[in-house]
Amino acid sequence: MEHVKCECGHVNPIGTVLCESCGKPFEENAPALLDMRYEGSARRSQTYNKTIIDKVWNFFSSVKVGVWLIVITLIASAIGTIYPQEMYIPPTVTPAEYYEEQYGWLGKWYYQLGFHDLYGSWWYMLLIALIGVSLVICSLDRVVPLYRALKKQGVTRNEQFLRRQRLFSSSHVDNYEALLPQIKEKLAKHRYHIREENGNILAEKGRFSRWGPYVNHIGLIIFLIGAMLRFVPGMYVDEVFWIREGETKEIPGTNGKYFLKNEKFIFQVYEKEKEKKVFQEAIDRVGSGMMAKNYQTNAVLYERVGPIIPGEKPKLKKVKSFSIRVNEPLKHDHYALYQVDFKLNELSKMSFHLIDKQTNKQFGTITVDLLQPKDEYDLGNGYRVQLLSYFPDFYFDEEGNPATKSKVPNNPAFVFKMITPDRPDGEVSFTAIRQTIEPLGDNKYKMAFAGMETRNVSALTVRRDFTLWILGLGGAIFMIGLIQGMYWNHRRIWIQRINGEVLVAAHTNKNWFGLKKELAKICEGTPLVMPVDQADKGR
Amino acid sequence: MAQLSSTLLYIAFVLYLVATFFFGGAIRDKKAKSGPDRWAMIGIAVTIAGFVAQLGYFVTRWIAAGHAPVSNLFEFTTFFGMMLVGAFIVIYFIYKTSLLGLFTLPIAILVIAYASMFPREISPLIPALQSDWLHIHVTTAAAGEAILAVSFAAGLIYLICVVDQSKASKRTFWLEVILFCLISTLGFVAATTAFRLADYEAKFEWIDKNNQQTEMVYHMPALVGPHEGKLKTEGRMEPLVDMPAIINARKLNTVIWSLFAGAILYGLLRLVLRKRIAAALQPLVKNINLDLVDEISYRSVAIGFPVFTLGALVFAMIWAQIAWTRFWGWDPKEVWALITWLFYAAFLHLRLSKGWHGERSAWLAVIGFAIIMFNLVAVNLVIAGLHSYAGS
Ligand code: HEM
């Protein structure tokens, strides 16, 4: 037995609760008010429960399971905000120490349980994936039967179906035939679609809103797929690079195609005198000059012409000049460059005079480019300075030897060899900021600090994200479905004459208040009795 | 202009207070006679006048600053209050229930009063906020939250009506907790204002979590002091206990004072009323049509959820992509917007499929509002992130 035949003649799939056509309840002891969810149609999950596939299907098609998944995700997400996530802690510390140091034993546990990287953890991803699976199965389980039921619904209904609707009334009408046109006109005025069959009426509107949830679920699934594509190589570029003023650099992530020149980095603050009067008080509270106003890199974008030849300087063609600011990224060819960080006044050049310590007489000046120092500087007349060693970011290591922490000239130190006509073998001096060491005994000559130049460094993020349009599409579909389902409702009114009585019944999927108001207007001035809300009876 | 703006806000505040009394009158009036309700008509008219005044505040402040006033905690919270009143006005014209006014307006008043405890001066924008998306995102998010908050007001009415007050139970307890929280907001406003009028100031030197010595100024007597704090101002109260360095002692101190003041207010009310607050409120709501209240609560979620999604998630992501290079960064504020969204999604599913109507749905509406408030208050002040406004 694959099908159930109703007394009205319609053949329904097995598992149907209300006849698709006339709405007659099949269950022996159906409740006083019919359960109109999914129109009483046969859902797979309610009908089959034999194989493993059935069981899995039934599990995921349950809204209860869906809600549990949502609630668990919600709670997990909340736990992730108790302490900062790994990506927000200072990059110089190891997480294992950081959490314990900052937050004590709770922090230690937090770290050990993996909450420090919760949103990237496998089980959080699994939760999201399960929600996705649940969404798909749940929607499929319902949308097909619902579609069938709404498509096949008949105009003439079983009396039981009408009497057991939440809104129902029966009236005595002397001249029903004369009343019909008037009612139809009223229904049409309220923009109902009217179907008529032997003087019975089915007036319906807003059926499309029933598809709202399914549309929004499709949107969500597309969004989730888009989010997952992020892990596919090539879809996604995310790099940070530092670029100094005056420097031209290859933009990472562009495979050598694009180059950027930093012409100038600008950092501005709000200063009391320069701003509008209304801002004075606010600026005073934080302190004048303490509040950032603008971070900006004046950049020029270049594109490489010709093939990449290793070891050769690339030929560049200017694409455009642009001022990259926060909220105003430079966009080109799906790439976007964002202003993310900066460093002011990085040392770029240092100058020294070669002097006689006794007489302070000068024999010339050298200027060391701190990024590309030369090995030797010739001052003429037999005076030369050799740079034996250079420590851009100088410190003493564990053994007390000079060393460098990085290549960034934060704290430069030099070992100079000063070669002069009277000291042809040269004197060695170790020169750092505010200190000079003469390792081989007292020198006659000295490298005296003569000045320095600085420049600003800007940090930019490079992004290219081919998943964005998918996410956008998913989001848009989600919003459309949401609005479709939430701001419209599916309303139906049945009017039918049975045994000299005129029955009026109505159903909506939400906003009963609106439907009642509409019914009141339709019944007004006619012999039809305004349907009563049978749900009120129970109270 | 700035002066005019503050005055308008003040006028709006007073008008909301007046409107509340009229809605209160409308409830009493209904018992006496039927027919068109004078009190309610005046109530809604005054509410609209207040709303217009606040709109005036918003516009004039916008003109004065050159950017929409939604850029700090004071401005955002005030805007939220305004949207709450706006949402109420809309819903009032659909359902015509004065009772909703009696509950929504006080919440809006509390929200605005709470907002004005934070620095109020007009501030220029930091680079991250210099975007039109600031206005678009923040205003829609606030509007969504406000519409959702109406469901809280309706839910509260429902609960006050149905929870059996003849004997103490879990339900009466939690209902009192909700009311106590509302009263504590008043406590916060009262305590802050009182100490501000008294010009209270106590300076502490303390050791922060990076072992740096810094200063902290209290504007309320320190019940809890900062980590290894030393009182520098003479004649001020010594703290009872010191807090560890990771806790912001000043904020905690404010919370304690608020709860303390709230407890006193609550205690006084109980003494005067000689019963639970909810029990005292019950007669006010006993004539209400419960189904209608339930539907209002659900309707506001149905209307508010898409607006919230658009403002707090969609627009937020678009802006984040532009300003912070990524549309989503798991910043606490973002996560709590997601939590709010998930919560209301669960709410809708429970209602639709599990038939959670009436009282259960009302409790859910309360929890939803609690989550929104948590995001507004606690995440801003306690869990610092990219979004934390420079509030004190
Ligand atoms: C975070 C994820 C989800 C969101 C935002 C979402 C959103 C929605 C919305 C807005 C509705 C319409 C509710 C109403 O009209 O009152 C809905 C309906 C529904 N959702 Fe979801 N949903 C989500 C996940 C799920 C999951 C995991 C399931 C599966 C168990 C599910 C199953 C359903 C069902 C069965 C309906 C009712 C459809 C109908 O009766 O026409 N949803 N969903």
Side-chain angles (χ1 to χ4, degrees):
Chain A
M1 210 184 79
E2 278 292 304
H3 300 283
V4 197
K5 191 166 176 186
C6 176
E7 61 185 37
C8 72
H10 184 77
V11 180
N12 294 286
I14 188 159
T16 304
V17 185
L18 303 176
C19 169
E20 288 173 331
S21 175
C22 75
K24 177 180 175 341
F26 285 132
E27 275 172 55
E28 290 291 299
N29 38 8
L33 277 185
L34 290 182
D35 184 354
M36 290 288 286
R37 263 186 288 152
Y38 319 112
E39 307 290 309
S41 54
R43 287 189 280 136
R44 189 187 194 286
S45 62
Q46 308 295 304
T47 314
Y48 302 98
N49 191 11
K50 286 216 189 78
T51 62
I52 298 235
I53 294 178
D54 291 341
K55 294 224 157 76
V56 171
W57 182 276
N58 294 356
F59 179 76
F60 282 113
S61 69
S62 148
V63 174
K64 197 162 149 191
V65 171
V67 170
W68 270 114
L69 287 173
I70 293 176
V71 170
I72 294 170
T73 312
L74 182 162
I75 294 170
S77 308
I79 294 174
T81 62
I82 298 178
Y83 296 134
Q85 289 288 299
E86 194 179 13
M87 58 200 151
Y88 289 115
I89 68 172
T92 50
V93 295
T94 51
E97 288 163 18
Y98 181 82
Y99 285 96
E100 185 167 5
E101 229 167 64
Q102 296 282 316
Y103 309 109
W105 58 273
L106 265 175
K108 190 174 159 188
W109 276 24
Y110 197 78
Y111 175 76
Q112 281 174 350
L113 291 174
F115 289 131
H116 67 292
D117 183 24
L118 185 123
Y119 309 113
S121 67
W122 63 268
W123 60 273
Y124 193 80
M125 304 253 186
L126 184 70
L127 271 176
I128 307 266
L130 287 178
I131 290 184
V133 171
S134 175
L135 265 170
V136 174
I137 294 185
C138 194
S139 303
L140 284 179
D141 191 51
R142 283 152 228 249
V143 73
V144 179
L146 182 64
Y147 179 78
R148 264 183 70 100
L150 289 177
K151 189 98 189 155
K152 295 227 152 91
Q153 62 179 324
V155 175
T156 309
R157 289 286 160 145
N158 184 281
E159 187 175 346
Q160 282 306 310
F161 178 85
L162 296 179
R163 287 191 182 274
R164 285 154 153 206
Q165 289 300 318
R166 189 173 145 185
L167 288 178
F168 173 78
S169 73
S170 80
S171 336
H172 284 285
V173 179
D174 292 333
N175 192 351
Y176 184 62
E177 275 71 27
L179 182 62
L180 259 181
Q182 189 195 346
I183 295 206
K184 271 159 61 183
E185 190 188 326
K186 280 193 164 184
L187 286 169
K189 220 177 73 194
H190 285 99
R191 278 187 257 122
Y192 278 88
H193 299 285
I194 301 163
R195 282 165 65 195
E196 195 181 342
E197 196 179 279
N198 308 326
N200 300 329
I201 288 179
L202 163 58
E204 184 175 13
K205 76 172 174 188
R207 191 200 282 183
F208 80 104
S209 83
R210 290 296 286 274
W211 313 121
Y214 305 100
V215 173
N216 87 40
H217 289 168
I218 290 172
L220 273 181
I221 291 163
I222 295 177
F223 188 93
L224 288 179
I225 291 174
M228 238 171 264
L229 281 180
R230 179 141 308 212
F231 298 107
V232 177
M235 292 300 268
Y236 184 63
V237 172
D238 177 14
E239 310 260 1
V240 183
F241 69 109
W242 288 84
I243 181 165
R244 301 181 167 88
E245 280 175 335
E247 199 176 19
T248 303
K249 246 192 180 174
E250 180 188 322
I251 302 175
T254 64
N255 302 323
K257 188 168 176 201
Y258 291 107
F259 287 74
L260 194 79
K261 178 165 188 210
N262 176 357
E263 306 237 282
K264 192 169 176 53
F265 174 79
I266 301 168
F267 171 56
Q268 287 166 308
V269 289
Y270 287 107
E271 280 160 294
K272 203 173 161 190
E273 312 78 44
K274 292 190 192 150
E275 301 300 330
K276 282 200 258 183
K277 246 183 90 196
V278 282
F279 293 148
Q280 305 282 298
E281 217 183 314
I283 294 175
D284 260 346
R285 195 167 58 81
V286 211
S288 180
M290 297 297 284
M291 199 188 213
K293 179 179 182 180
N294 186 22
Y295 308 110
Q296 174 175 334
T297 304
N298 292 347
V300 185
L301 180 69
Y302 294 99
E303 187 174 350
R304 182 199 291 268
V305 272
I308 302 178
I309 304 163
E312 206 160 287
K313 252 189 141 184
K315 283 204 202 73
L316 298 179
K317 185 182 81 189
K318 177 171 166 180
V319 180
K320 61 175 152 185
S321 301
F322 190 84
S323 303
I324 304 173
R325 305 172 64 220
V326 177
N327 271 311
E328 289 170 31
L330 163 61
K331 288 192 186 153
H332 183 71
D333 188 18
H334 302 294
Y335 289 99
L337 289 172
Y338 298 88
Q339 181 72 53
V340 288
D341 205 350
F342 66 97
K343 198 166 99 188
L344 293 180
N345 306 326
E346 185 186 274
L347 292 173
S348 67
K349 288 181 182 152
M350 267 176 120
S351 315
F352 300 91
H353 300 308
L354 174 62
I355 57 169
D356 184 320
K357 285 206 295 197
Q358 221 98 65
T359 64
N360 270 344
K361 188 167 184 271
Q362 290 187 14
F363 302 96
T365 307
I366 67 166
T367 300
V368 184
D369 183 333
L370 296 174
L371 292 175
Q372 286 158 326
K374 287 196 285 188
D375 292 340
E376 187 171 310
Y377 299 82
D378 193 355
L379 298 173
N381 304 329
Y383 291 90
R384 280 187 296 146
V385 178
Q386 286 177 346
L387 181 54
L388 299 183
S389 300
Y390 167 50
F391 309 95
D393 198 356
F394 154 74
Y395 76 113
F396 281 113
D397 67 12
E398 283 120 41
E399 285 137 42
N401 296 323
T404 188
K405 279 185 240 173
S406 67
K407 286 187 186 156
V408 184
N410 288 328
N411 182 23
F414 314 85
V415 179
F416 291 120
K417 187 174 200 182
M418 301 161 285
I419 298 165
T420 47
D422 56 336
R423 295 278 195 279
D425 288 343
E427 292 177 336
V428 175
S429 126
F430 178 86
T431 308
I433 291 173
R434 268 189 245 133
Q435 69 180 4
T436 307
I437 300 170
E438 295 171 352
L440 305 176
D442 245 1
N443 290 344
K444 180 173 176 214
Y445 295 96
K446 175 182 165 184
M447 300 301 296
F449 176 71
M452 61 183 184
E453 280 176 39
T454 62
R455 57 185 165 184
N456 301 332
V457 197
S458 172
L460 302 171
T461 286
V462 195
R463 284 264 172 171
R464 189 190 59 184
D465 195 340
F466 285 140
T467 67
L468 283 183
W469 69 271
I470 304 177
L471 298 171
L473 181 74
I477 293 178
F478 177 77
M479 281 314 299
I480 291 171
L482 203 55
I483 289 170
Q484 180 181 346
M486 292 307 206
Y487 293 173
W488 276 270
N489 358 101
H490 179 212
R491 295 178 183 175
R492 273 173 296 172
I493 302 173
W494 296 273
I495 302 174
Q496 206 159 312
R497 185 169 51 176
I498 298 179
N499 302 334
E501 253 184 314
V502 176
L503 308 187
V504 180
H507 180 76
T508 179
N509 62 336
K510 47 171 74 84
N511 190 7
W512 291 86
F513 183 80
L515 177 61
K516 284 185 209 168
K517 273 212 304 213
E518 219 166 54
L519 273 174
K521 285 213 191 100
I522 288 166
C523 295
E524 198 182 81
T526 71
L528 294 181
V529 177
M530 166 71 194
V532 288
D533 193 339
Q534 307 199 77
D536 285 348
K537 267 191 206 153
R539 288 176 210 275
Chain B
M1 195 63 101
Q3 188 53 46
L4 172 66
S5 175
S6 324
T7 313
L8 282 172
L9 182 61
Y10 191 70
I11 293 173
F13 186 82
V14 174
L15 286 176
Y16 294 154
L17 268 178
V18 174
T20 310
F21 284 110
F22 277 102
F23 281 123
I27 308 298
R28 302 211 164 269
D29 204 34
K30 220 170 229 155
K31 284 180 209 154
K33 56 178 189 291
S34 55
D37 196 329
R38 271 279 179 68
W39 290 86
M41 296 240 289
I42 300 176
I44 191 70
V46 175
T47 310
I48 293 174
F51 184 74
V52 170
Q54 199 174 354
L55 217 53
Y57 141 83
F58 188 76
V59 172
T60 47
R61 192 168 166 110
W62 189 330
I63 295 169
H67 58 82
V70 285
S71 65
N72 62 28
L73 197 55
F74 161 71
E75 292 176 340
F76 176 77
T77 314
T78 326
F79 183 76
F80 173 67
M82 180 165 99
M83 285 289 120
L84 187 53
V85 176
F88 160 70
I89 293 174
V90 171
I91 301 242
Y92 180 86
F93 279 105
I94 303 178
Y95 292 104
K96 302 271 169 28
T97 29
S98 343
L99 194 55
L100 196 63
L102 190 59
F103 279 80
T104 317
L105 286 180
I107 296 173
I109 291 169
L110 271 183
V111 166
I112 296 170
Y114 170 81
S116 31
M117 297 300 116
F118 294 92
R120 262 177 300 181
E121 61 281 351
I122 298 180
S123 169
L125 295 179
I126 59 165
L129 298 184
Q130 294 164 9
S131 164
D132 288 336
W133 285 103
L134 164 71
H135 313 156
I136 300 170
H137 154 60
V138 176
T139 49
T140 8
E145 288 177 353
I147 302 170
L148 292 173
V150 173
S151 97
F152 162 68
L156 193 58
I157 296 174
Y158 195 99
L159 291 176
I160 289 177
C161 186
V162 298
V163 169
D164 177 9
Q165 294 289 350
S166 63
K167 58 180 188 302
S169 65
K170 252 196 259 169
R171 295 149 78 216
T172 56
F173 172 78
W174 284 109
L175 194 51
E176 291 303 291
V177 170
I178 300 168
L179 294 168
F180 175 73
C181 287
L182 291 176
I183 292 172
S184 291
T185 315
L186 198 62
F188 167 76
V189 174
T192 312
T193 314
F195 290 121
R196 191 174 288 171
L197 289 178
D199 240 343
Y200 190 92
E201 196 179 288
K203 202 177 269 176
F204 284 90
E205 246 172 32
W206 68 291
I207 311 289
D208 73 9
K209 64 180 178 193
N210 301 324
N211 264 327
Q212 302 285 325
Q213 181 164 351
T214 38
E215 264 184 12
M216 185 183 267
V217 181
Y218 276 56
H219 294 285
M220 292 185 179
L223 299 169
V224 294
H227 183 229
E228 295 182 19
K230 282 197 213 64
L231 186 59
K232 288 285 163 194
T233 318
E234 261 176 50
R236 296 305 191 204
M237 190 177 130
E238 284 283 353
L240 305 176
V241 276
D242 279 0
M243 285 293 115
I246 55 161
I247 290 178
N248 186 326
R250 184 178 51 196
K251 286 172 186 169
L252 183 65
N253 191 54
T254 309
V255 171
I256 295 175
W257 270 107
S258 309
L259 292 178
F260 186 59
I264 291 177
L265 285 172
Y266 181 84
L268 282 175
L269 276 174
R270 286 292 292 256
L271 267 179
V272 173
L273 297 169
R274 306 218 146 266
K275 54 179 140 188
R276 284 184 215 105
I277 314 274
L281 290 172
Q282 204 167 31
L284 278 181
V285 303
K286 73 167 185 284
N287 290 329
I288 191 81
N289 176 351
L290 275 180
D291 270 342
L292 189 63
V293 179
D294 183 50
E295 180 156 335
I296 294 175
S297 174
Y298 176 43
R299 242 358 243 304
S300 1
V301 176
I303 298 174
F305 187 69
V307 179
F308 178 81
T309 311
L310 195 65
L313 295 170
V314 177
F315 290 159
M317 287 191 208
I318 295 175
W319 185 23
Q321 181 70 29
I322 296 170
W324 288 315
T325 82
R326 80 289 178 286
F327 64 92
W328 192 261
W330 298 109
D331 171 75
K333 189 100 186 174
E334 284 171 350
V335 176
W336 276 93
L338 177 70
I339 291 172
T340 314
W341 184 74
L342 287 174
F343 179 83
Y344 280 102
F347 177 114
L348 288 171
H349 286 97
L350 284 172
R351 214 181 143 105
L352 197 68
S353 298
K354 295 269 137 222
W356 279 34
H357 294 233
E359 190 177 335
R360 290 188 190 201
S361 160
W363 284 112
L364 288 181
V366 168
I367 298 172
F369 184 69
I371 295 177
I372 291 177
M373 284 298 116
F374 185 83
N375 200 1
L376 187 67
V377 179
V379 177
N380 273 325
L381 297 182
V382 183
I383 307 176
L386 292 171
H387 279 78
S388 74
Y389 292 122
S392 59

